[in-house]
Each structure stands twice: as C-alpha cells, then as structure tokens.
Amino acid sequence: MAFKKEKKSKVSDFKRKLVVKNDPKSPVSEQYRTIRTNIQFSQIDNEIRTLMVTSSGPGEGKSTTVANLATVFAQQGNKVLLVDADMRKPTVHYTFSITNTFGLTTVLTKQSDLDDAVTQIDTSNLYVLPCGPIPPNPSELLSSRSMDEFLETALKVYDLVIFDTPPVLVVTDAQLLANKCDGTVLVVSSGFTEKENAVKAKEQLTTSKAKLLGVILNNKKQDQSQYYYYYGGK
C-alpha cells in the first residue's frame, strides 16, 4: 500500500510540472515559447525535425523541460512525437499518465508497430512514445539500424520528433543519439549544475558531432518584481 501512495504522489508531481498546459499564461510558459522560437530560428537554412534534449547529470530538470517543449511545439500546430529514449530511468509515461507496456524498446525490437505504441495526448497534436520495458542493452538499441529505420518511419508521419535522453556524463546513450538528430539542447540547473560538468557535457556532445543549439538554464530564481503575467487577456 505504501508503494501505491508513493507512485500516486509521483504521478501528481509530474503532472504539476507540465506548466505550459496547466498554466499557459504564466511567465514560465512564456519562457518555453521563447525557447521554441529560438530553436526554430537557430537553423535558418536547415529545418529542425529531430531534437534531442539532455543534461550533464541527473536531477537538472531535463525531463520536465522536454515535456514542456514538446507541448509548446504541438500547441503551435506541429504534429509532434515525444520519445522517451532514457531507457535507464524513463519518466515520460509518468508525466502524461500513460502506460509503459509498449514503447521505444518494443518498436526497436519489432515487438510492436510505432502506431500501436504511440499515445495521442488529449486529441492534440502531441503524441508520446514512452520507453517501454527497460532493456539490458540501451546503447546497442540506440545505435542500431533499427533506430535509423524508426527515425525514417517517424519523420514520414510527424513534423518534429523530440527525444528525452539520459544525462551525458552518466552514460553514452545521449552521445550515440546526438549525431542522428538535427539539433541538441543541453539543460543545466541554476545553483545545482557544476560549471565543470556543464563544460564536460558540451565537450562530449561536440566530440560526438552533435549540433548543439544552445543551453537552457533551469530553476533560475527571479525577484518578485521580475514576474509579470502573460501580456494578453485571460
């Protein structure tokens, strides 16, 4: 029974963090829309259709950031597929309260089709592919030919595919996926991420030929005077 209470609390906590859906006129939601615009303008001649979001280490807000980013891109009218590629510690299914029985791992191992494993969120343009059962060989799956086939299939259906990946300095998964994506965004947490780790993460992404679009500073505290509500009617 204690386990069930803990799980329920965890689900509720993740749902609260989907701020662009639950509080779309908040300053934080506006910041996510600004990030969306910056990403779109970062590659003028090359359209961003595959985007990877990662961090240097755990607990820096990576998964919350990627869930909100996927939502604001979908709110703009893009057909978006959010993929939980963090096969070590998947959390996307918690955020959107969906099952994790089928997902990326079952698609890559041909146990399910992409269409069958994807969940549309609230009849919106946002579709979510959870991780699926945790595999013993995440790195091999992400670097496989099956992964290339998955991307090819997904890009025929979706305007944008966004990946939530493990932290760069913990395992090599993010580096393996980075050079398959059109762009990579690194999340750092204010007052938490050490400068040395952020630099190391950038170096490792650059070494793996990732197209690093920029860095998102997460958890930055603002003075009360800096807060304002979204300029527009409620």
Side-chain angles (χ1 to χ4, degrees):
M1 293 301 290
F3 172 75
K4 289 183 178 179
K5 288 181 179 178
E6 181 182 349
K7 186 175 181 180
K8 185 176 180 180
S9 174
K10 193 172 185 178
V11 171
S12 178
D13 181 51
F14 275 114
K15 289 181 70 174
R16 280 197 301 271
K17 291 179 179 178
L18 200 59
V19 63
V20 296
K21 177 184 176 184
N22 299 324
D23 194 3
K25 295 182 179 179
S26 69
V28 175
S29 296
E30 186 59 22
Q31 288 300 312
Y32 277 113
R33 286 189 285 271
T34 299
I35 293 169
R36 178 187 65 194
T37 302
N38 291 344
I39 290 172
Q40 290 172 323
F41 278 85
S42 64
Q43 298 288 310
I44 297 175
D45 295 326
N46 300 303
E47 184 182 9
I48 301 291
R49 295 204 58 204
T50 50
L51 178 68
M52 190 189 88
V53 179
T54 188
S55 61
S56 63
E60 295 177 299
K62 164 185 62 68
S63 294
T64 299
T65 298
V66 73
N68 281 282
L69 269 183
T71 303
V72 293
F73 271 107
Q75 289 173 343
Q76 195 182 36
N78 301 289
K79 190 173 182 179
V80 178
L81 177 63
L82 171 58
V83 182
D84 193 347
D86 190 345
M87 300 181 186
R88 320 273 178 163
K89 191 178 179 182
T91 58
V92 171
H93 60 290
Y94 288 128
T95 306
F96 294 94
S97 301
I98 61 176
T99 177
N100 195 38
T101 305
F102 299 99
L104 179 60
T105 57
T106 57
V107 173
L108 294 180
T109 55
K110 315 298 184 188
Q111 298 178 61
S112 63
D113 293 331
L114 176 58
D115 289 345
D116 296 333
V118 163
T119 299
Q120 184 179 15
I121 305 299
D122 298 334
T123 67
S124 68
N125 289 321
L126 179 60
Y127 296 76
V128 173
L129 180 63
C131 169
I134 295 176
N137 54 345
S139 299
E140 286 78 2
L141 284 177
L142 291 174
S143 59
S144 66
R145 181 184 295 274
S146 185
M147 187 66 198
D148 295 332
E149 294 172 354
F150 162 76
L151 273 173
E152 185 177 346
T153 301
L155 289 173
K156 291 178 181 176
V157 181
Y158 300 95
D159 300 318
L160 177 65
V161 181
I162 303 181
F163 293 95
D164 181 3
T165 65
V168 178
L169 300 184
V170 177
V171 290
T172 60
D173 300 11
Q175 291 176 266
L176 293 171
L177 191 57
N179 61 14
K180 296 180 185 291
C181 293
D182 297 326
T184 295
V185 173
L186 180 66
V187 176
V188 299
S189 181
S190 177
F192 182 81
T193 304
E194 295 183 6
K195 182 179 178 180
E196 181 181 355
N197 288 341
V199 172
K200 283 183 180 178
K202 177 183 177 296
E203 290 174 349
Q204 290 195 13
L205 288 170
T206 302
T207 301
S208 62
K209 299 181 179 178
K211 297 180 183 67
L212 187 59
L213 303 180
V215 177
I216 295 176
L217 179 62
N218 196 31
N219 291 324
K220 178 70 169 67
K221 292 183 179 178
Q222 290 182 294
D223 295 334
Q224 195 65 30
S225 59
Q226 291 178 284
Y227 277 100
Y228 63 93
Y229 234 66
Y230 177 54
Y231 183 70
K234 292 184 178 179

